[in-house]
Amino acid sequence: QFSKNLKLGIHEDATNRNKIADLLRYHTSKSGDELVSLKEYVARMKEGQKDIYYITGESRAAVANSPFLETLKRRQIEVLFMVDPIDEYAVQQLKEYDGKKLKS
């Protein structure tokens, strides 16, 4: 319900960016209907994984079927689905979370 406002906060509020990032939730390539926080994503990253992977698109269905996911799926790497238009702006500002770079 408040996700757009939180994402706008990521974009506009540099002072509180990391605190706001803790509140964000996304569907992922492995979460089904559940929303996942960045903290949860990082906690279940594969050993040796250095980056947080995400894909942007118009809908969950569109990104879930993207050919760009194939390599990451084969490597069993979870990918955040960013399907809100404001996500692209927010991720440009966030750049990293918990020492992990966000990588598309």
Side-chain angles (χ1 to χ4, degrees):
Q1 183 178 1
F2 298 105
S3 68
K4 282 187 169 71
N5 293 329
L6 291 171
K7 292 169 185 175
L8 191 60
I10 290 285
H11 185 67
E12 295 181 350
D13 188 351
T15 306
N16 293 304
R17 191 167 287 147
N18 291 332
K19 291 177 185 174
I20 296 169
D22 286 335
L23 302 174
L24 297 175
R25 301 288 184 274
Y26 296 98
H27 289 102
T28 76
S29 57
K30 294 183 177 183
S31 70
D33 289 333
E34 298 295 315
L35 292 168
V36 175
S37 70
L38 293 173
K39 185 177 278 192
E40 290 170 308
Y41 176 98
V42 168
R44 58 193 201 198
M45 282 172 57
K46 285 187 67 162
E47 192 170 323
Q49 183 180 335
K50 293 178 173 41
D51 299 315
I52 296 171
Y53 291 92
Y54 70 90
I55 186 169
T56 58
E58 293 182 12
S59 69
R60 278 174 53 198
V63 295
N65 295 312
S66 169
F68 298 111
L69 284 185
E70 292 307 313
T71 302
L72 295 171
K73 281 182 183 177
R74 266 185 262 137
R75 293 171 45 202
Q76 297 182 337
I77 292 177
E78 188 170 19
V79 180
L80 298 172
F81 291 169
M82 297 191 175
V83 295
D84 194 335
I86 199 169
D87 285 330
E88 292 187 53
Y89 298 108
V91 80
Q92 286 173 6
Q93 297 300 317
L94 190 57
K95 293 184 178 111
E96 70 172 38
Y97 178 81
D98 196 24
K100 312 278 187 209
K101 289 185 181 180
L102 277 85
K103 188 172 183 178
S104 106

